[in-house]
Amino acid sequence: EAIAHGCDQVVFLDAVEHRWLEELGGMNIFLVLDDGTLITPEISGTILEGITRDSIITLAGELGHAGEERKVDVDEWRKGAADGRVVEVFACGTAAVITPIGALRWPGGEAVAGTGEPGAVTMKLRQALMDVQYGRAEDTHEWMHPVVVP
């Protein structure tokens, strides 16, 4: 169905009301508001408790971005993209690191946050996380652990 609508991934909503954001495929979702605040669905038992998600929340705070973990209505994304309140959207996960989301599509509609291109906050967080992963920045949280392969 996603491919039929020109999409690479599917946004999963809650199974009861079909309105609360859960995940994008197997990745966590973040909305970036026009004031730089990051919003991500709260852990509810059906949402992955991702290490990448936790790392982004930590890095965002260190970079001066407020964060909210709460229920996020899909209409907040739709309306926020339309009125300029939601300026960026991205997904994150171990393999994906941070992946910008260009548009939310549904039968009969589309919501594009900002320009639909990777935004400044998204790319700043992606770079900060990758800098730790690749040893270009100090790992002050001791996230990285050497693995010895026999």
Side-chain angles (χ1 to χ4, degrees):
E1 189 175 337
I3 292 169
H5 287 94
C7 299
D8 296 320
Q9 289 285 332
V10 176
V11 174
F12 290 102
L13 304 178
D14 71 289
V16 177
E17 296 181 63
H18 308 288
R19 65 182 272 208
W20 303 107
L21 293 178
E22 295 223 332
E23 296 176 334
L24 180 81
M27 298 177 276
N28 298 110
I29 291 179
F30 283 84
L31 306 181
V32 181
L33 303 182
D34 57 357
D35 65 359
T37 299
L38 273 71
I39 299 173
T40 191
E42 63 192 5
I43 299 300
S44 64
T46 60
I47 296 175
L48 292 172
E49 296 184 39
I51 292 171
T52 305
R53 176 186 182 275
D54 291 344
S55 299
I56 290 167
I57 291 168
T58 299
L59 288 173
E62 292 174 357
L63 294 171
H65 297 278
E68 297 177 23
E69 295 178 70
R70 60 173 172 78
K71 290 178 93 169
V72 183
D73 193 316
V74 70
D75 282 337
E76 181 176 358
W77 183 352
R78 289 176 179 156
K79 292 174 185 174
D83 68 16
R85 179 78 171 129
V86 175
V87 295
E88 301 175 37
V89 183
F90 65 86
C92 69
T94 303
V97 186
I98 295 176
T99 301
I101 299 173
L104 171 66
R105 294 189 182 121
W106 62 93
E110 178 179 75
V112 177
T115 64
E117 297 295 318
V121 173
T122 300
M123 298 314 291
K124 178 172 61 171
L125 287 167
R126 186 177 198 285
Q127 188 64 53
L129 185 58
M130 291 183 70
D131 284 348
V132 172
Q133 289 174 329
Y134 286 92
R136 295 185 296 252
E138 184 180 355
D139 179 11
T140 59
H141 302 285
E142 298 180 6
W143 289 332
M144 304 299 292
H145 300 280
V147 176
V148 178
V149 179

